[in-house]
Amino acid sequence: MKKVYIETMGCQMNKSDTERMFGMLSNFGYEETDTPKEADLLMVNTCSIRQLSEDKAFSLIGTWGKWKKTRPELKIGFCGCVAQQKAEEIFKRARYVDFVLGTHKIYSLPDIIKKINNGEKVCECEETNATEDDKAVKYEIDRVKSVNAWIPITEGCNNFCTYCIVPYTRGRERSRLPETILKEVKDALNSGFKEITLLGQNVDSYGKDFNDKNYRLADLLRDVNAIDGKFRIRFVTSYPTDITDELIKTTFELDKVCEYFHIPMQSGSSEVLKKMNRRYDRETYFRIANKVREMVPDVTITSDFIAGFPGETEEQFVETLTAMEELGLDYSNTAAYSPREKTVAAKWIDKFIDEDTKFERLARLNEQNRKCCLASNQKFLGREMEVLIESFENHKGSNVITGRTRNNKIVHIPYDKDLTGEFVNVKITGVKTWYLKGEMI
Ligand code: SF4
């Protein structure tokens, strides 16, 4: 049997694509290996959100290219967001690459494999306005063994935030058909997964592009919730102004849908938000986040922020720090601004913030994030909570099981038996910045 190794970079969307690619390749007699040197086919599924990640991908295939000198039969594939963006250019930069596969047509992989095995070089990076649902149903998905299955429900994005490469790499927003999604959910549950995360760049705009039906995220949540069995449902990522009252109400009402919203704010300054082409200002974000908190008890709200966006002043940056604090955000992903080719903000070179200032702001953002996380965790001290166990390990001589609460808090519990995949009730007995400590009830 031939072996394939895939290095996956970036977000859950890429991880989900990799699972689909493994599923297709298993139909073609490939088995997965964790050891690149053993592989007959090496693939990198790239991310273009930051330059660092792109550089890492080229460095990796550079190493693989050297192996090819002594193993000419070795095949190398360059996939994902950087592939979608650069297409044929990849061959110029790395002649040893056998195929380039963008994000729009991952279901071309079986055809590509046939062609490269006949000695052809293939570039499949054409943009499409359709989902590949018709092809998706033909293949099994080789999911990473875990309790949580990530299921994409939309692809692409129409928002064109001025810093973001996603609309150029993932194309316009397309909603996958409810029946395809529901089949994937049922398959995942039948394989033993206990948590379903519905995934999209703007998950809450799901269904906006359906011309023949009025079916939105709240409807999909109701249909997934109606499937028999004990499991949890999450959805990420929410665009602030696409969160409807109906969605918040549905989250509260449906028993399997978890009390968790990931709502990127990106900046606490209305002027910066405008330059980012985000369709809300500081006040609007506050109004939406506060409404979510009022309507969904115990909800956690997490966010994303960028430090040092072009032209950001110290005062505007401080507005981000105060927003994090005043909103009582439970956790935030933070990053220093990284210019991405093709995006609007990347052209504002004269407004770029120097690296020292950018990283000094990032450090302050991280410090504020730490304070917010600790304050958020302290709210749960002494509470009894349901935890879905995700792992079992021996830590410094003691056995510990680790899982998440419905509102996505990580809990470590001393326990001698592996309960991975089980729901347990726990009393929260300790609080750290990034996690809670619990005891079995
Ligand atoms: S909403 Fe903005 S940040 Fe999010 S994927 Fe779309 S363009 Fe990128």
Side-chain angles (χ1 to χ4, degrees):
M1 206 169 196
K2 285 188 171 180
K3 293 194 170 156
V4 54
Y5 174 85
I6 307 182
E7 176 80 25
T8 307
M9 299 174 169
C11 66
Q12 280 302 335
M13 202 59 100
N14 264 14
K15 288 177 191 157
S16 169
D17 283 349
T18 293
E19 290 177 340
R20 282 157 212 276
M21 293 198 266
F22 275 132
M24 283 181 259
L25 289 166
S26 67
N27 282 15
F28 281 78
Y30 282 91
E31 70 175 1
E32 187 183 342
T33 174
D34 293 337
T35 315
K37 283 219 157 161
E38 278 180 11
D40 305 281
L41 170 62
L42 290 161
M43 291 162 59
V44 58
N45 195 2
T46 59
C47 166
S48 57
I49 289 284
R50 278 175 238 306
Q51 187 61 41
L52 196 67
S53 176
E54 190 175 320
D55 295 345
K56 222 172 116 191
F58 280 109
S59 154
L60 185 68
I61 57 161
T63 305
W64 294 349
K66 286 183 195 142
W67 297 352
K68 214 170 167 171
K69 286 183 186 151
T70 50
R71 289 179 58 204
E73 73 290 355
L74 185 64
K75 302 290 182 201
I76 299 175
F78 195 95
C79 316
C81 292
V82 182
Q84 184 66 39
Q85 204 188 350
K86 304 217 182 271
E88 298 270 354
E89 262 181 73
I90 304 291
F91 292 130
K92 287 188 205 142
R93 185 158 170 186
R95 276 200 230 126
Y96 41 81
V97 166
D98 294 279
F99 71 93
V100 179
L101 172 60
T103 54
H104 288 243
K105 291 210 162 169
I106 65 163
Y107 286 97
S108 310
L109 187 58
D111 285 341
I112 291 175
I113 297 299
K114 280 186 217 151
K115 287 181 184 164
I116 61 166
N117 284 338
N118 286 332
E120 281 180 55
K121 274 191 186 273
V122 186
C123 179
E124 192 67 77
C125 297
E126 203 183 309
E127 198 166 317
T128 162
N129 288 327
T131 64
E132 291 203 287
D133 279 348
D134 53 330
K135 302 185 187 87
V137 291
K138 286 201 257 166
Y139 296 102
E140 294 285 313
I141 302 167
D142 192 357
R143 293 191 188 280
V144 173
K145 295 281 166 281
S146 151
V147 297
N148 187 354
W150 297 81
I151 299 187
I153 65 167
T154 63
E155 294 164 23
C157 179
N158 293 344
N159 285 334
F160 287 92
C161 301
T162 53
Y163 53 85
C164 182
I165 193 74
V166 167
Y168 305 93
T169 56
R170 293 261 168 195
R172 296 301 81 72
E173 194 166 87
R174 287 101 63 206
S175 300
R176 301 184 70 210
L177 294 173
E179 48 272 33
T180 317
I181 297 166
L182 291 168
K183 180 187 178 300
E184 287 186 11
V185 170
K186 285 176 192 159
D187 288 349
L189 294 172
N190 289 338
S191 316
F193 286 87
K194 295 293 170 64
E195 192 168 275
I196 300 294
T197 302
L198 304 175
L199 188 64
Q201 257 87 26
N202 297 300
V203 77
D204 45 356
S205 63
Y206 175 75
K208 267 189 184 174
D209 54 329
F210 289 146
N211 297 323
D212 57 341
K213 52 183 159 286
N214 183 12
Y215 187 93
R216 301 296 303 275
L217 179 58
D219 300 297
L220 182 63
L221 289 173
R222 276 191 278 273
D223 284 344
V224 176
N225 196 76
I227 297 172
D228 283 343
K230 166 99 178 144
F231 64 96
R232 289 176 176 176
I233 307 166
R234 300 188 190 278
F235 54 90
V236 288
T237 294
S238 299
Y239 191 89
T241 45
D242 286 331
I243 298 175
T244 58
D245 286 0
E246 194 198 359
L247 177 63
I248 306 173
K249 196 163 149 274
T250 309
T251 302
F252 170 64
E253 284 171 356
L254 297 178
D255 60 326
K256 292 171 188 161
V257 179
C258 293
E259 297 77 17
Y260 172 65
F261 277 75
H262 181 66
I263 320 173
M265 187 183 195
Q266 306 298 5
S267 169
S269 153
S270 296
E271 292 100 81
V272 174
L273 288 170
K274 203 166 175 196
K275 287 183 190 141
M276 288 176 163
N277 195 31
R278 302 287 288 181
R279 291 180 277 109
Y280 53 89
D281 57 14
R282 179 184 172 102
E283 290 67 37
T284 308
Y285 185 97
F286 268 66
R287 189 173 45 70
I288 294 161
N290 289 335
K291 194 191 282 183
V292 171
R293 285 218 194 276
E294 278 159 26
M295 289 173 70
V296 186
D298 271 349
V299 73
T300 52
I301 301 179
T302 59
S303 194
D304 297 339
F305 288 97
I306 297 171
F309 184 74
E312 181 190 65
T313 64
E314 170 63 19
E315 291 70 30
Q316 289 167 338
F317 172 69
V318 169
E319 286 188 80
T320 297
L321 295 179
T322 58
M324 283 170 99
E325 190 183 3
E326 287 168 25
L327 286 161
L329 291 173
D330 297 277
Y331 174 81
S332 298
N333 299 310
T334 60
Y337 171 73
S338 169
R340 307 308 297 130
E341 199 188 320
K342 284 193 184 171
T343 61
V344 174
K347 299 184 183 83
W348 300 338
I349 297 170
D350 58 328
K351 298 272 190 307
F352 281 6
I353 306 292
D354 66 86
E355 294 293 290
D356 286 351
T357 307
K358 215 159 66 173
F359 284 95
E360 184 263 343
R361 286 182 188 170
L362 179 62
R364 285 156 69 200
L365 210 52
N366 289 339
E367 185 48 34
Q368 184 58 54
N369 187 28
R370 269 190 281 277
K371 286 185 195 157
C372 286
C373 284
L374 186 60
S376 160
N377 284 349
Q378 277 162 343
K379 289 188 286 192
F380 298 100
L381 188 63
R383 291 274 302 273
E384 291 182 6
M385 303 179 91
E386 182 199 75
V387 176
L388 170 58
I389 302 301
E390 296 178 359
S391 66
F392 170 73
E393 60 186 1
N394 188 285
H395 183 65
K396 295 182 184 162
S398 307
N399 289 328
V400 178
I401 51 174
T402 299
R404 282 173 202 267
T405 61
R406 285 176 60 97
N407 54 13
N408 216 26
K409 294 282 177 191
I410 295 171
V411 188
H412 295 304
I413 309 143
Y415 204 69
D416 284 329
K417 202 168 145 209
D418 184 357
L419 298 181
T420 300
E422 292 193 27
F423 294 90
V424 297
N425 289 320
V426 164
K427 178 159 185 177
I428 304 304
T429 53
V431 167
K432 296 280 181 188
T433 303
W434 307 121
Y435 63 90
L436 304 171
K437 290 186 195 171
E439 277 173 14
M440 297 285 264
I441 297 173

